[in-house]
Amino acid sequence: MTVDDTGSGAGADGRVNLPAAEPGEPGDPGEDPHPLALRLEQLILGAERRYTPFQAARSAGVSMELASRFWRAMGFADIGQAKALTEADVLALRRLAGLVEAGLLSEAMAVQVARSTGQTTARLAEWQIDSFLEGLTEPPEPGMTRTEVTYPIVELLLPELEEFLVYVWRRQLAASAGRVVQAADDEEMVDRRLAVCFADLVGFTRLTRRMEEEELGELVEAFETTSADLVAARGGRLIKTLGDEVLYAADDAGTAADIALLLVETMSNDETMPELRVGMAFGTVTTRMGDVFGTTVNLASRLTSIAPRDAVLVDSAFAEELIRTGDAPASEAEAAEEAAAAEKEGEEPPTYRFALQPMWQRPVRGLGVVEPWLLTRRNSEDV
């Protein structure tokens, strides 16, 4: 919120204000904004413009420097000293600063809270406008303009979407808090041992040159939706989607393996989908702001790039974990010996969910020589 008349602004509660522009250009805060845009802003924010950034910071009892850090962390550009902020912006600044003053959060952590919330809700807002609101506000009758139907639609949807957002957030917060309190120690709360998986559509770049934009968008949406549903249903956590690639994590290797093979099986049964390749690794992972980092993540990504089509590659640590937990035999020869011994004793042979086949060791850029293993199912009833 420094003195800079370019860029766009938004409320410090994470909701969008109208953009600022160079003096004399359309959208200049010194000029009257579009009447409907202003009405929508007041409807969504629940308040009208009253403060410049300096006035908002002073009213909240925080320095302009800290207010600017919070503002930028939420993903909003500087708006100079335009009178574009509301009581909600002041309250949000006061709350963040109050958490710091009370010693509940450090200043750096408060900025992280602002940044993570801003990044997450920005994507959600863009999706809702692009994929949801635009369709609903198509003029229902010839001669009607979109502006004539937008306001009442937003007015009806806003309270319902707001309550649903809070509900989902609370559910996700409860699930995440539960995982944290079950961690073995404090270090494990940040640096945890997880199974990390990348699933990548084969030949996506070529598809972008052959398909129409609308078709490509539908394919990506179908891939992301199917992947997200399968990951959630089987107990994994979707970290992010990157168009032709998804990244997910699971607390145990068996869950991650089941999801990976289910993804390949599901996509291969869909004629509209390209082939899929999957890479997975197991080990220590650093988690920050809902994302994952570290050598384990890098290794999973590299394994994806060398995986055969419609196949799953795992690293040696992942294979060892499946063997340790009894989800896979150390070798098919050992499994055969166990089955023969059990049959001789009149007992049920041990059952395994997965099979592992060692592949040739190979150098992987930035990670040295790795030994990938090909992962497959042993029993079709596991699907």
Side-chain angles (χ1 to χ4, degrees), residues 303-342:
L303 288 172
T304 306
S305 66
I306 63 174
R309 295 165 181 257
D310 282 341
V312 180
L313 286 187
V314 304
D315 75 324
S316 56
F318 197 107
E320 290 169 5
E321 184 67 10
L322 287 179
I323 294 168
R324 185 189 70 81
T325 57
D327 283 312
S331 67
E332 290 304 308
E334 180 178 302
E337 290 175 3
E338 291 173 342

Side-chain angles (χ1 to χ4, degrees), residues 79-239:
I79 59 170
Q81 288 303 318
K83 185 173 285 190
L85 306 185
T86 72
E87 288 289 350
D89 300 304
V90 173
L91 181 59
L93 284 175
R94 193 176 294 148
R95 281 175 171 163
L96 279 174
L99 291 172
V100 175
E101 291 173 4
L104 296 173
L105 295 177
S106 66
E107 187 173 306
M109 182 60 69
V111 171
Q112 282 192 1
V113 168
R115 179 170 291 110
S116 62
T117 306
Q119 290 178 356
T120 303
T121 53
R123 184 178 181 188
L124 175 62
E126 289 290 341
W127 181 89
Q128 289 175 332
I129 292 298
D130 291 344
S131 304
F132 182 57
L133 190 57
E134 282 189 2
L136 283 178
T137 55
E138 286 292 338
E141 298 178 10
M144 290 188 68
T145 64
R146 177 171 289 173
T147 58
E148 291 175 314
V149 296
T150 298
Y151 189 92
I153 290 293
V154 172
E155 191 173 27
L156 288 171
L157 286 174
L158 186 62
E160 301 300 326
L161 291 177
E162 183 175 20
E163 289 194 13
F164 184 70
L165 174 63
V166 173
Y167 155 74
V168 175
W169 170 71
R170 284 181 177 272
R171 267 290 178 188
Q172 293 286 4
L173 192 65
S176 182
R179 290 192 293 268
V180 167
V181 298
Q182 293 179 56
D185 51 47
D186 289 345
E187 288 186 4
E188 192 179 328
M189 292 169 61
V190 176
D191 297 318
R192 307 167 58 190
R193 286 179 63 77
L194 295 175
V196 178
C197 174
F198 283 92
D200 178 57
L201 292 175
V202 178
F204 186 76
T205 302
R206 290 193 301 274
L207 283 175
T208 61
R209 293 194 290 265
R210 296 203 318 262
M211 298 179 71
E212 297 290 337
E213 288 186 7
E214 186 174 347
E215 290 179 304
L216 193 62
E218 290 174 354
L219 184 145
V220 168
E221 184 175 359
F223 171 59
E224 291 185 349
T225 300
T226 301
S227 300
D229 288 347
L230 292 178
V231 169
R234 292 300 175 106
R237 295 190 298 284
L238 187 69
I239 305 299

